[in-house]
Amino acid sequence: MALPEGAAAHEFRSQCSIARTMEILGDRWTLLIVRDLMWHGKHTFQELQTSAERMPTNQLSQRLKLLVDWGLVDKQVYQERPVRYRYVLTEQGRALEPVLLQIMQWGHKALGGGLYDPKAGRTVAPARNPASVER
Amino acid sequence: MALPEGAAAHEFRSQCSIARTMEILGDRWTLLIVRDLMWHGKHTFQELQTSAERMPTNQLSQRLKLLVDWGLVDKQVYQERPVRYRYVLTEQGRALEPVLLQIMQWGHKALGGGLYDPKAGRTVAPARNPASVER
DNA sequence: AACAGTCACTTTCGATTCGAAAGTTGCTAT
DNA sequence: ATAGCAACTTTCGAATCGAAAGTGACTGTT
């Protein structure tokens, strides 16, 4: 099976799995898109951009394109006339769930962020105010 | 116990633990510093900057400052005259190990990166050429 | 037929950040 | 005096970011 275009063309700067991953996911937005696709039932451009963090639309557009190129996301037409698109995680993309979970755990403990339970589909521990975060 | 300065002053853009974490670790370099401090015995500025990925020294300097501000890294003087510094992970910093491990797993499977075993202190699966990465 | 609305983007542009290289500081060693 | 090293800092052009406005294809309403 062939690589997605974006991936095939790319020369990684190092052998390290972590470095390689950071070349794809190492920015403020990309993992938030993955989070919304994975857990929050957001699948259209509209839904993704009206998400909590209000990412700029040009960034969303670019990131989605990259995620598709890397084979983490699939872009499907779910309606013709007018044509509308739905973004869905591929198997590769879904494989990021343990990464998201670990990051969430850390962000919860260290930064007082909320804790979401994917199985229950709801937040099980609300975020604390940054000012009250203790070490 | 008080928050580290950088953290106390900061207003997160969202409640989400993942979004908060990405505000700190969401760039190409920061996690690589954490990786080197955690697993590869690199603790001085010199050691960190001659690491595989050759990060620019101004970035290294900035990132280290932020990591110290966030309380993930401790900067210690290990030698006076001339004064020399050693960077060490705090407990918060060490708590990132499961995150690193999951990212490594994903980067190995999805991008053909190498697999390092922290307990054994060595690479247990070498990186594959990007061109040969299969899905 | 004209006009408002929706979705999915793209364009623009000033501000910020990045990265490569060179420069600085404080000290030791010859 | 000169060279060398560690740990940065400065410089500066290039790349990227973010906020806002604009575009195009269509539908639904008057």
Side-chain angles (χ1 to χ4, degrees):
Chain A
M1 189 182 250
L3 256 190
E5 279 175 49
H10 193 81
E11 285 255 344
F12 289 106
R13 98 169 63 208
S14 112
Q15 309 268 77
C16 173
S17 287
I18 296 170
R20 288 185 177 192
T21 301
M22 293 326 271
E23 285 188 45
I24 298 172
L25 304 176
D27 68 274
R28 257 180 209 56
W29 299 114
T30 305
L31 267 186
L32 302 185
I33 298 177
V34 174
R35 173 201 65 185
D36 286 343
L37 292 174
M38 181 114 49
W39 292 337
H40 302 312
K42 309 199 170 192
H43 293 285
T44 64
F45 193 93
Q46 186 71 7
E47 287 167 350
L48 288 166
Q49 76 120 122
T50 54
S51 188
E53 293 84 6
R54 298 296 167 134
M55 115 171 68
T57 57
N58 55 351
Q59 304 287 0
L60 176 56
S61 179
Q62 271 183 35
R63 301 300 171 205
L64 281 172
K65 220 168 272 173
L66 286 173
L67 285 170
V68 169
D69 278 354
W70 280 107
L72 308 197
V73 168
D74 205 23
K75 180 179 183 175
Q76 307 167 346
V77 172
Y78 73 90
Q79 174 191 301
E80 308 272 2
R81 339 206 61 248
V83 58
R84 293 288 147 81
Y85 303 99
R86 172 199 291 129
Y87 297 91
V88 188
L89 291 172
T90 62
E91 201 190 316
Q92 293 255 11
R94 287 193 303 274
L96 282 168
E97 188 162 31
V99 172
L100 283 186
L101 286 168
Q102 284 300 335
I103 290 177
M104 183 172 66
Q105 283 294 334
W106 188 86
H108 175 63
K109 280 190 201 158
L111 308 175
L115 205 57
Y116 176 84
D117 180 350
K119 286 181 186 170
R122 62 191 178 79
T123 300
V124 292
R128 279 167 287 143
N129 190 306
S132 73
V133 176
E134 279 161 45
R135 294 200 295 152
Chain B
M1 190 183 251
L3 257 191
E5 278 175 53
H10 193 80
E11 285 253 346
F12 289 105
R13 100 169 62 209
S14 114
Q15 309 269 76
C16 172
S17 287
I18 297 170
R20 288 185 178 193
T21 302
M22 292 327 271
E23 285 189 44
I24 299 172
L25 305 175
D27 68 274
R28 255 182 209 54
W29 299 115
T30 306
L31 268 186
L32 301 184
I33 298 176
V34 174
R35 172 202 65 186
D36 286 343
L37 292 174
M38 180 113 51
W39 292 337
H40 302 312
K42 307 200 171 191
H43 293 284
T44 65
F45 193 94
Q46 187 72 6
E47 286 167 352
L48 288 167
Q49 75 120 122
T50 53
S51 188
E53 292 84 6
R54 297 297 169 134
M55 115 170 68
T57 57
N58 55 352
Q59 305 286 1
L60 176 57
S61 180
Q62 272 182 35
R63 300 302 171 204
L64 281 173
K65 220 167 274 173
L66 287 173
L67 285 169
V68 169
D69 278 355
W70 279 106
L72 308 197
V73 167
D74 205 25
K75 179 178 183 174
Q76 307 168 344
V77 172
Y78 73 90
Q79 175 191 302
E80 309 270 1
R81 341 205 59 254
V83 58
R84 292 288 146 81
Y85 302 99
R86 172 199 291 129
Y87 297 91
V88 188
L89 289 173
T90 62
E91 201 191 318
Q92 292 255 11
R94 287 193 303 276
L96 281 169
E97 188 163 31
V99 173
L100 283 185
L101 287 168
Q102 284 300 337
I103 290 177
M104 184 173 65
Q105 283 294 332
W106 188 85
H108 176 62
K109 280 190 200 159
L111 309 175
L115 205 58
Y116 177 83
D117 180 351
K119 286 183 185 169
R122 62 191 176 77
T123 299
V124 291
R128 279 167 288 143
N129 190 305
S132 72
V133 176
E134 280 161 44
R135 294 202 291 152

